Amino acid sequence: MSAIFEQISEALIDGMRAKVLELTQKALDEGIAPKDILNKALLTGMNEVGVLFKEGELFVPEVLVAARAMNEGIDLLKPHMNEADIEKKGKILLCTVKGDLHDIGKNLVKMMLEGAGFEVIDMGIDITPEAIVEAVKEHKPNMVGMSALLTTTMVSMKDTIEALKAAGCMDKNLKIMVGGAPVSDRFAKDIGAEYAADASSAVELANSLV
Ligand code: B1M
């Protein structure tokens, strides 16, 4: 049985979408539990993609292709799974901050977090502190993740944290993760957040905080 898990993982790492789907279907047809196909093949493969990306062995387009293959594989499994089979590690509200339209990095972070088993609520781009506060009240996430690519929009991360504090949202052990090219660990610490330099560090950080 482990052979097919390895084949699926390898096809995912190689970005072979059709092969991932064919093998996932084959595993289902052989009666393998969807939960095992998810955890031991698709998520294991995506985890390895994260490691290779961090090591510089894979690049953004390859990660996006792998993530898309993983998501389509998960779509094949979904009709065969109970909600309980899809173990969620935690809920993360993710966005690109007010005034900022860059979302390629944010989308990559989203795919990697989902691949690692987090439920991600993607608010999109140009999201105001007020909208984030409202979404936190509505969805009650474990973490808010904010991305900024412009030096001029980083300030919105600080404004958002202040708005969350003023609304009492930070009292409930809410974690804040920030990232994006101009953001640094020092800036994150100064505003009361945690910093992740890239998508796979974002997964490591989320795993350690949530
Ligand atoms: Co813009 N842009 N852009 N742009 N753009 C930059 C960011 C810039 C550095 C280019 C430059 O001048 N060299 C510069 C910013 C300068 C600065 O402020 N220091 C810039 C500028 C100035 C602008 C405009 C103002 C240009 C103009 O109109 N005059 C304008 C602003 C629009 C706005 O946002 N209001 C603008 C517009 C655009 C496009 C729309 C054309 C397009 C965005 C398309 C899109 O995202 N859908 C665009 C692009 C593509 C870029 C560059 C070329 C590439 C960004 C990117 O996608 N990188 C960029 C130059 C560059 O970075 N080389 C640039 C790939 C992506 C995978 O990396 O986003 O860094 P990145 O994400 C990484 C990490 O940062 C981290 O993980 C990701 C994966 O490893 N990460 C997180 C990101 N978010 C995270 C969140 C986390 C954790 C980790 O936790 C929540």
Side-chain angles (χ1 to χ4, degrees):
M1 195 192 286
S2 64
I4 193 150
F5 294 150
E6 269 174 38
Q7 287 166 3
I8 295 173
S9 289
E10 277 167 23
L12 186 84
I13 295 162
D14 293 340
M16 296 164 74
R17 179 189 151 275
K19 188 105 188 144
V20 169
L21 297 183
E22 181 199 317
L23 290 167
T24 302
Q25 187 59 54
K26 186 171 173 232
L28 277 173
D29 294 344
E30 285 175 7
I32 299 174
K35 192 180 172 190
D36 287 340
I37 306 173
L38 176 69
N39 292 319
K40 297 181 184 170
L42 293 172
L43 297 188
T44 306
M46 200 59 210
N47 198 28
E48 183 59 20
V49 168
V51 172
L52 293 171
F53 175 64
K54 198 167 183 182
E55 289 172 352
E57 297 282 327
L58 290 182
F59 298 99
V60 172
E62 291 155 315
V63 177
L64 292 174
V65 168
R68 216 158 283 146
M70 177 199 68
N71 283 329
E72 289 184 28
I74 293 175
D75 286 344
L76 261 188
L77 298 179
K78 270 184 188 158
H80 306 273
M81 296 177 84
N82 309 318
E83 273 298 301
D85 284 338
I86 307 171
E87 189 189 323
K88 289 290 174 208
K89 286 187 188 162
K91 199 190 279 185
I92 301 178
L93 199 72
L94 189 66
C95 71
T96 299
V97 296
K98 181 184 166 191
D100 203 319
L101 308 178
H102 296 84
D103 66 356
I104 298 169
K106 187 259 302 163
N107 292 343
L108 201 55
V109 169
K110 175 189 174 184
M111 289 190 204
M112 297 284 282
L113 287 171
E114 286 180 339
F118 290 93
E119 179 185 355
V120 179
I121 299 165
D122 184 0
M123 295 183 70
I125 53 175
D126 191 15
I127 305 299
T128 62
E130 297 75 25
I132 296 173
V133 169
E134 283 314 305
V136 166
K137 286 182 184 164
E138 183 188 344
H139 298 287
K140 302 182 179 46
N142 306 92
M143 181 188 274
V144 171
M146 291 183 276
S147 178
L149 263 287
L150 299 173
T151 42
T152 49
T153 57
M154 287 162 65
V155 66
S156 191
M157 294 173 159
K158 184 170 183 281
D159 294 345
T160 302
I161 293 173
E162 277 164 13
L164 286 167
K165 278 184 190 156
C169 300
M170 297 301 287
D171 306 341
K172 294 163 195 134
N173 206 22
L174 180 69
K175 311 286 183 197
I176 309 286
M177 171 163 67
V178 293
V183 180
S184 65
D185 191 35
R186 172 128 191 227
F187 172 78
K189 292 279 173 310
D190 283 350
I191 63 170
E194 300 289 337
Y195 169 68
D198 53 49
S200 88
S201 308
V203 171
E204 282 169 23
L205 184 61
N207 276 330
S208 72
L209 292 178
V210 173

